Amino acid sequence: MERIVMKFGGTSVANPEKIARAAQLVVGEVNRGKKVAVIVSAMGKTTDELLALANEVNPNAGRRELDMLLTTGEQVTASLLAMAIAAAGVEAKSFTGWQAGVTTEAIHGNARIEQVQADRIISTLEEDAVAVITGFQGIDAHGQLTTLGRGGSDTSAVAIAIAIDAAVCDIYTDVEGVFTTDPRLIEQARKLEEISYDEMLEIANLGAGVLHPRAVEFAKNHQMPLRVRPAHIEGEGTIIKEEIDLENNLIVRGVAFERDIVRITVMYDTPYNGSLANIFTTLAKHHVNVDIIVQTIREDAQPSVSFSIKKQDFAEVVNILETNQEALGYRQVDFEVGLAKVSIVGSGMVSNPGVAATMFDAMRNASIPIKMVSTSEIKVSVVIPESDMEKAVAVLHEQYELAGE
């Protein structure tokens, strides 16, 4: 009998009614002859509520205690969903991440999975019971509970699917699948029947909240098929795999966007070779993710390096740079807020020159200024004023004829 993994995000198990709906979907797969392991997130906004409680008690709480607190959210969901499945006549057992054999590196708040010893899950499935497992968490070599960071339940699901040799990992969410862009912003957005790992990885990294990038990367590395499926209606969703058929010869298959981008500019009196390496090595040591990087070295201009970050990292980055100013050797730091990033993604771009030029031309015709640019084989990203973001998405979605019928 085929094993599958079903993962339910927080919005899909936000209340008893949605938990009952998730239980119906699980029972439906069992009745079709599947052996099912289920991964769950915390209900609704539970994680945010727990963080708010922690902040009231101690705004400077340590990450170890935060992990102890946050892991309780998924435990509530897992036990309730197991009860709902049992009420529908199918045996189910709930497990914490560590009970399910998920071991991680010894980092609190953003740990990476190192191994999944899935014996207990497999034995549960072989007993014709559903295994309901808390996502987002594991245990390190020292016996400490750890969490995987935002979106970590997706990664839990993929890791467990790989460990139990599942045929597919289904990610259930409140959308019908992966669209050419966010349908809440562009009503004409088209649902894609399939998308490649590389395209999905770019879209996930570029701000789309459908799947966590680490989960897509994990699936790609182990060739685990993923499906994004709706939890609220019947539907096959979108399959994510290695090789796909290019739908209608779409060169660009999606437009992604991300708000709250900040551009940091570090200025020097004189250029020196170590500046770039020193800045980004220092930021990396503090686990700060830097996106687009532009260096300017000209005889008639002050040497500088600009890079984009997420707004949530702004205060930390400024503090790191100011603390290390002498070692980094720069003169001053400037910044620009109120920015957004808009990107086009498509594996067909590799063999079709001129895609970027078309993008820039469309932006110019729409009078949208471009602050920074980043490219790869299957992606072009631009940083623009956030006030122009929605217009840019609409313009590019129309330019590349991505609308559904």
Side-chain angles (χ1 to χ4, degrees), residues 180 190 192-194 199 244-254 345-353 355 399-403 405:
T180 50
R190 181 194 314 182
L192 298 168
E193 299 302 318
E194 54 185 30
E199 290 171 328
I244 63 167
D245 297 323
L246 292 179
E247 289 178 47
N248 300 322
N249 296 315
L250 290 179
I251 297 171
V252 172
R253 293 170 57 78
V345 178
S347 55
M349 292 165 60
V350 176
S351 55
N352 285 274
V355 176
Q399 176 67 46
Y400 295 104
E401 301 178 350
L402 297 177
E405 295 181 1

Side-chain angles (χ1 to χ4, degrees), residues 321-336:
L321 292 175
E322 289 180 347
T323 301
N324 295 276
Q325 181 172 4
E326 184 176 350
L328 297 175
Y330 67 85
R331 185 172 66 83
Q332 73 179 71
V333 172
D334 197 6
F335 60 88
E336 184 177 3

Side-chain angles (χ1 to χ4, degrees), residues 20-323:
R21 168 63 181 164
Q24 291 174 2
L25 291 171
V26 173
V27 171
E29 293 292 355
V30 171
N31 290 340
R32 282 187 279 273
K34 307 292 176 59
K35 292 184 179 294
V36 183
V38 183
I39 315 301
V40 294
S41 299
M43 296 171 62
K45 299 292 185 180
T46 298
T47 300
D48 291 334
E49 292 166 0
L50 290 173
L51 284 170
L53 279 173
N55 189 59
E56 286 188 34
V57 173
N58 181 358
N60 300 309
R63 290 195 172 191
R64 180 192 182 279
E65 296 309 319
L66 285 173
D67 276 0
M68 286 289 290
L69 175 67
L70 296 182
T71 53
T72 64
E74 281 74 19
Q75 290 180 45
V76 171
T77 313
S79 56
L80 290 175
L81 182 55
M83 293 175 195
I85 294 168
V90 173
E91 184 181 357
K93 296 179 181 178
S94 63
F95 300 94
T96 63
W98 69 266
Q99 286 176 319
V102 179
T103 57
T104 75
E105 59 187 354
I107 293 176
H108 289 292
N110 196 29
R112 290 180 177 269
I113 293 174
E114 291 185 337
Q115 190 176 14
V116 179
Q117 293 281 2
D119 296 350
R120 184 174 289 176
I121 304 172
I122 292 172
S123 63
T124 300
L125 302 185
E126 293 307 312
E127 293 167 2
D128 292 328
V130 174
V132 184
I133 305 148
T134 58
F136 175 67
Q137 60 189 256
I139 194 168
D140 68 18
H142 307 290
Q144 302 293 321
L145 294 182
T146 56
T147 61
L148 309 182
R150 288 288 187 179
S153 291
D154 288 346
T155 310
S156 298
V158 174
I160 289 169
I162 293 164
I164 68 170
D165 194 25
V168 68
C169 179
D170 285 335
I171 308 293
Y172 286 85
T173 182
D174 56 353
V175 296
E176 295 178 36
V178 179
F179 284 75
T180 50
T181 195
D182 190 335
R184 293 170 296 187
L185 187 65
I186 304 296
E187 290 184 6
Q188 298 79 20
R190 181 194 314 182
K191 184 178 77 70
L192 298 168
E193 299 302 318
E194 54 185 30
I195 189 170
S196 71
Y197 290 123
D198 288 336
E199 290 171 328
M200 191 67 237
L201 188 56
E202 289 284 9
I203 289 173
N205 272 313
L206 293 167
V210 178
L211 272 175
H212 194 275
R214 197 184 301 175
V216 181
E217 184 179 12
F218 216 172
K220 174 180 169 60
N221 290 343
H222 294 270
Q223 293 296 292
M224 171 56 62
L226 290 174
R227 277 188 302 200
V228 176
R229 305 184 70 178
H232 56 295
I233 60 172
E234 294 294 331
E236 290 302 310
T238 301
I239 187 76
I240 302 157
K241 58 183 183 178
E242 189 65 56
E243 298 293 335
I244 63 167
D245 297 323
L246 292 179
E247 289 178 47
N248 300 322
N249 296 315
L250 290 179
I251 297 171
V252 172
R253 293 170 57 78
V255 180
F257 58 89
E258 188 172 10
R259 305 176 191 270
D260 294 330
I261 300 297
V262 177
R263 178 170 67 172
I264 303 286
T265 301
V266 181
M267 290 169 280
Y268 298 86
D269 289 323
T270 57
Y272 69 99
N273 292 334
S275 59
L276 278 177
N278 289 347
I279 286 176
F280 298 113
T281 298
T282 302
L283 292 174
K285 286 179 180 177
H286 291 81
H287 303 287
V288 173
N289 288 321
V290 173
D291 191 15
I292 301 173
I293 300 170
V294 177
Q295 186 177 30
T296 302
I297 300 178
R298 296 192 348 234
E299 291 184 4
D300 60 339
Q302 186 180 42
S304 67
V305 57
S306 297
F307 55 92
S308 63
I309 58 170
K310 295 181 180 179
K311 185 179 178 180
Q312 66 194 41
D313 296 325
F314 176 48
E316 183 180 7
V317 168
V318 171
N319 181 60
I320 292 168
L321 292 175
E322 289 180 347
T323 301

